[in-house]
Amino acid sequence: MNVLMISPGFPREMRYFTRGLAEVGARVVGLGDQPESALEEPARSALAAYVQVRNWRDEDAVLAPVADVARKVRIDRVECLWEPYVVLAARIREMLGLPGMTVQETIPFRDKETMKQVLDAAGIRTPHHYRALTAAQVVEAAETIGFPVIVKPIAGAGSESTYRVESREQLDAVLPALRSVSEVSVEEFVEGDDMTFETICVDGRVLFYSVGKYIPRALDMKMNEWISQITLVYRDHGREDLAPGREMGHAVLKALGFRTGYTHMEWYRTRDGEAVFGEIGGRPPGAYLVDLINYASDIDSYTGWAEAVVHGRFTQHVERKYNAAWIFKRARGRGRIQRYDGLEALMSEIGDHVVLMDLNPIGAPRRDWRSVLVGDGIVVVRHPDLDRTIEMAGKVASRLDVVAG
């Protein structure tokens, strides 16, 4: 099978999905906007051919070289796991007459209002929500819903340009920051835990899934510099308190007609146990969450996804061995990294359960916490016991300091 892989080297995770395609026997043709020489391994060596485009936003400049390649090499599938260009991938499929998600089927995974309207019609609990194209519509929607509200781009990803707004005065202060956003979704703020539900599917069947939790909520981490964000992947997915989210996740995939690939859904678990839909992407999670899922079960879901799309199966042995958590560290101070306070004592205590530690090197500039989610380092811990895993993650968050100066 010949697979056209859009953006095989960026973001970071894409290089491993590209490698996975080659490992399961696909001949991979890469399509990207960077020179082939700039592709990092293992993506570069996994490609049988590479086509460079000048500008992703110029659709004709992308479609023309793809059509030219397709006249020379048979293309069997088009895959894109980077959120901004999943609709472009669907257009390429339609142009070439290939199987996979169409433009019409893909749009609900990009347009958050269309997404929620489909789910509303299916009887799935979503936050009260409105589409807004003008500042006046944003104000009207917020006042109709009642504060606090969430305001975010219709076609955004993660928490980028997302705001929790507590009052009309705060909304007036936020509106200027949204001038570059053509459409926004204004929705009810749901009080509760910030949860995730990931799947690998084949022909609409869920063959693998994972459940996670953000500690604290992702938006809190985005707005507060001092927070060391924790993301937890559960070992015991049969827990009663996770059942509403699992059931919702399956219902969401059915309502949206997702067939084959990796998905990443965010949902809220309220204090009374209700599951409320957040949003879903027809692509894998970013920010090392795929790696965290892999650490929890000692699997390679990069290759597992590739096997699903190329061969229509998922044969990896999944044994839920561990709860796993990553902790993103942000440096204290400004300038260059000077030292790691508390590291030696922490490792002597929990080092046997640390499976990854990647800290910004001594002497390197401190990274901008507003633009880099990982911040100045990542630590991954895992343990069969949930409470022990959460305890260790908390110690990394509170006792390890990356110090800049």
Side-chain angles (χ1 to χ4, degrees):
M1 177 181 286
N2 297 326
V3 179
L4 181 70
M5 181 66 169
I6 294 177
S7 192
F10 183 85
R12 166 196 166 271
E13 291 85 0
M14 298 307 109
R15 67 189 77 162
Y16 303 108
F17 286 111
T18 302
R19 177 211 65 197
L21 288 170
E23 287 185 348
V24 301
R27 187 169 183 260
V28 189
V29 178
L31 181 72
D33 62 350
Q34 59 192 138
E36 184 174 5
S37 59
L39 289 173
E40 295 191 32
E41 295 294 351
R44 188 176 178 185
S45 61
L47 297 177
Y50 183 74
V51 179
Q52 184 180 356
V53 296
R54 293 189 302 275
N55 185 352
W56 288 120
R57 292 178 178 83
D58 184 347
E59 191 169 289
D60 290 339
V62 176
L63 296 180
V66 170
D68 183 58
V69 168
R71 284 189 287 268
K72 301 171 185 175
V73 178
R74 186 190 76 251
I75 302 296
D76 300 299
R77 289 193 69 92
V78 176
E79 294 296 332
C80 179
L81 302 178
W82 188 20
E83 181 91 3
Y85 301 114
V86 292
V87 175
L88 173 63
R91 294 196 191 284
I92 294 174
R93 290 187 200 106
E94 292 184 352
M95 178 183 74
L96 300 179
L98 297 177
M101 301 285 281
T102 66
V103 172
Q104 185 175 359
E105 291 168 334
T106 302
I107 285 174
F109 286 91
R110 281 291 287 149
D111 185 309
K112 291 180 172 58
E113 273 302 303
T114 301
M115 177 190 298
K116 292 185 176 68
Q117 289 166 6
V118 171
L119 300 183
D120 289 341
I124 294 169
R125 166 73 160 100
T126 68
H128 192 187
H129 58 93
Y130 290 96
R131 181 190 301 268
L133 286 78
T134 66
Q137 289 176 349
V138 173
V139 172
E140 180 183 4
E143 292 182 339
T144 299
I145 295 169
F147 295 99
V149 295
I150 298 294
V151 183
K152 59 186 177 182
I154 287 286
S159 300
E160 192 65 32
S161 299
T162 298
Y163 300 90
R164 174 180 172 175
V165 181
E166 302 285 344
S167 64
R168 173 61 192 274
E169 292 74 23
Q170 189 178 358
L171 181 59
D172 289 340
V174 163
L175 286 173
L178 296 170
R179 286 174 181 161
S180 62
V181 181
S182 59
E183 295 180 274
V184 299
S185 176
V186 184
E187 65 181 45
E188 163 196 4
F189 175 77
V190 178
E191 192 70 54
D193 295 324
D194 209 346
M195 311 291 289
T196 78
F197 178 74
E198 286 73 38
T199 74
I200 294 177
C201 301
V202 171
D203 295 331
R205 294 174 292 120
V206 175
L207 301 187
F208 171 80
Y209 73 92
S210 176
V211 182
K213 179 181 179 181
Y214 299 138
I215 308 170
R217 295 178 63 143
L219 189 55
D220 292 335
M221 178 274 300
K222 190 73 175 178
M223 302 302 294
N224 295 280
E225 180 179 4
W226 58 270
I227 289 177
S228 290
Q229 176 74 19
I230 298 170
T231 292
L232 170 73
V233 168
Y234 288 91
R235 177 191 185 190
D236 181 8
H237 292 156
R239 291 167 54 101
E240 185 177 348
D241 60 337
L242 302 181
R246 291 196 312 271
E247 293 165 4
M248 171 179 282
H250 284 82
V252 166
L253 293 171
K254 182 178 180 181
L256 292 173
F258 189 82
R259 295 195 292 277
T260 299
Y262 219 131
T263 66
H264 168 58
M265 184 183 89
E266 296 179 345
W267 58 285
Y268 308 110
R269 181 177 60 190
T270 67
R271 291 176 181 173
D272 62 4
E274 180 188 20
V276 181
F277 176 79
E279 58 186 65
I280 189 170
R283 45 82 183 169
Y288 288 86
L289 184 47
V290 174
D291 301 88
L292 196 62
I293 290 167
N294 292 342
Y295 281 124
S297 296
D298 280 336
I299 62 171
D300 178 2
S301 64
Y302 293 109
T303 303
W305 162 84
E307 183 186 25
V309 301
V310 173
H311 299 296
R313 61 179 186 253
F314 183 89
T315 60
Q316 295 195 25
H317 175 67
V318 179
E319 182 181 354
R320 310 283 188 179
K321 296 181 179 180
Y322 306 100
N323 304 280
W326 58 234
I327 309 93
F328 288 160
K329 298 299 302 182
R330 292 166 174 170
R332 288 193 294 107
R334 296 291 183 264
R336 296 184 178 274
I337 304 302
Q338 301 293 318
R339 64 185 187 275
Y340 311 127
D341 286 351
L343 178 59
E344 185 176 349
L346 191 66
M347 289 301 290
S348 67
E349 183 177 346
I350 67 169
D352 289 345
H353 307 291
V354 174
V355 292
L356 173 68
M357 179 176 293
D358 185 7
L359 303 178
N360 201 3
I362 301 295
R366 183 199 166 163
R367 297 169 184 151
D368 182 357
W369 69 276
R370 293 180 182 85
S371 59
V372 181
L373 182 59
V374 177
D376 291 291
I378 177 175
V379 180
V380 177
V381 298
R382 67 180 186 180
H383 196 279
D385 182 75
L386 176 61
D387 290 340
R388 177 65 172 144
T389 305
I390 294 173
E391 177 191 9
M392 290 190 297
K395 288 180 177 180
V396 175
S398 62
R399 289 167 44 182
L400 172 62
D401 285 323
V402 180
V403 182

